[in-house]
Amino acid sequence: MNILDKIVAQKRIEIAATKAVKSQSALEREPLFSRPTLSLADALRQADTPGIISEFKRQSPSKGIINGNVEPEMVTAGYVAAGAKGLSVLTDEPFFGGSFADFGKARTANPDTPMLRKDFMIDEYQLFEAKALGADVVLLIAACLSSQEVRFLAKKAHDLGLEVLLEVHNAEELAQSLCDEVDMVGVNNRNLKTFSTSVETSIELAAQIPNHFVKISESGLKDAEMIVRLFEQGYRGFLIGETFMKTSDPAAALESLQKALFKIIEQKPLIV
């Protein structure tokens, strides 16, 4: 059993336990459930420079604790002040150290910024959770869902007013899972078997993703020149977590990257 299988198995246990405590109808009565959602896809489409989606992530299965001494409201507000187009906050606790509390604090601190609930979504109940938390976007990971499940969950998410980011790792997952029910396609440059990263994955898949989907590159993004190169190949969003979170001041790390991006863009016109 690989790490993804372990996470999904644990997630099924968690969902069953949570359902026994709080019903779907109870989630619908939560104060934020009726909150109008914000469009991350539109924010990225409208940007004429690379749009950074900054992530709050305390730990990961491959790296262990990345940064355990930061507060979500402080980090995410700093991200937004530094120009982040969207925020991603982990809510998986056993493997990533996330929580609903982290998401809630970030939501309160950033009411006007699109937010992605970063978790392993396998059940429509989790979509109602996301809506009740104040999320704008949910993640569907092709590696742990069938094509039928992707389509079903994406449609349910849209029914709730949520946008959908489909995450793929290779051409096979893309061909199998891509459907009109998703809004954005994220190419995760991390190999789930080895946990190594290669941005070449995003480059290889760029032309295979139809242009009406907002394209997002994820993982292993550190270099401003590479981000500009991916932007010129059609990517509009860049989800970055560990690169920022491993520093003592994640928001300052984003600000430094933004300055490097703007410097490159000033020196040469973007080819888009």
Side-chain angles (χ1 to χ4, degrees):
M1 181 181 287
N2 62 33
I3 185 63
L4 185 60
D5 292 335
K6 291 179 181 178
I7 292 172
V8 171
Q10 175 62 32
K11 195 62 57 178
R12 295 192 191 283
I13 294 171
E14 289 178 16
I15 294 167
T18 306
K19 283 181 176 180
V21 175
K22 180 174 283 190
S23 67
Q24 188 169 291
S25 59
L27 291 172
E28 294 180 75
R29 293 193 294 271
E30 292 285 333
L32 291 180
F33 195 89
S34 58
R35 167 188 166 274
T37 51
L38 304 169
S39 175
L40 176 59
D42 285 349
L44 295 173
R45 282 193 191 98
Q46 293 164 8
D48 54 7
T49 56
I52 307 300
I53 306 165
S54 299
E55 186 163 272
F56 183 84
K57 179 167 68 173
R58 297 182 184 276
Q59 66 185 56
S60 74
S62 60
K63 300 290 185 178
I65 295 176
I66 298 168
N67 194 333
N69 301 312
V70 287
E71 295 299 328
E73 63 272 33
M74 299 284 290
V75 171
T76 56
Y79 279 155
V80 172
K85 294 298 182 184
L87 298 169
S88 171
V89 178
L90 272 293
T91 58
D92 174 81
E93 185 171 359
F95 297 91
F96 288 87
S99 67
F100 287 179
D102 281 352
F103 194 98
K105 290 175 182 178
R107 176 77 285 168
T108 299
N110 306 279
D112 301 319
T113 302
M115 284 182 57
L116 165 70
R117 178 193 176 184
K118 187 79 171 290
D119 211 317
F120 298 82
M121 312 295 281
I122 57 173
D123 188 293
E124 68 174 298
Y125 179 85
Q126 294 170 287
L127 304 177
F128 284 81
E129 282 183 331
K131 180 71 170 171
L133 283 170
D136 302 289
V137 189
V138 291
L139 179 71
L140 299 183
I141 303 174
C144 59
L145 297 167
S146 68
S147 58
Q148 292 82 4
E149 288 171 327
V150 168
R151 188 180 296 272
F152 173 78
L153 291 173
K155 186 177 184 307
K156 288 290 184 180
H158 281 174
D159 289 345
L160 293 174
L162 298 165
E163 288 188 327
V164 176
L165 170 59
L166 172 68
E167 178 178 290
V168 301
H169 298 83
N170 52 52
E172 182 181 0
E173 289 179 4
L174 177 64
Q176 179 180 345
S177 302
L178 188 62
C179 60
D180 288 337
E181 283 76 14
V182 306
D183 305 285
M184 295 163 279
V185 178
V187 177
N188 193 327
N189 300 306
R190 189 178 302 280
N191 185 309
L192 288 179
K193 294 180 180 178
T194 65
F195 285 100
S196 63
T197 58
S198 173
V199 181
E200 291 299 319
T201 305
S202 285
I203 295 172
E204 292 168 3
L205 295 186
Q208 300 180 44
I209 305 170
N211 289 331
H212 64 276
F213 295 104
V214 176
K215 303 176 190 181
I216 296 173
S217 184
E218 308 170 11
S219 298
L221 300 167
K222 305 174 185 178
D223 182 72
E225 290 187 0
M226 177 56 75
I227 290 174
V228 170
R229 179 184 175 191
L230 290 170
F231 184 79
E232 292 179 327
Q233 296 211 11
Y235 287 91
R236 289 296 172 266
F238 302 87
L239 197 157
I240 304 175
E242 185 181 320
T243 297
F244 299 149
M245 290 297 298
K246 69 183 181 181
T247 68
S248 59
D249 189 340
L254 168 59
E255 187 174 2
S256 178
L257 176 62
Q258 295 278 39
K259 288 179 180 177
L261 287 170
F262 291 145
K263 184 176 181 180
I264 294 170
I265 293 168
E266 284 177 351
Q267 292 174 348
K268 69 164 189 173
L270 291 177
I271 303 170
V272 293

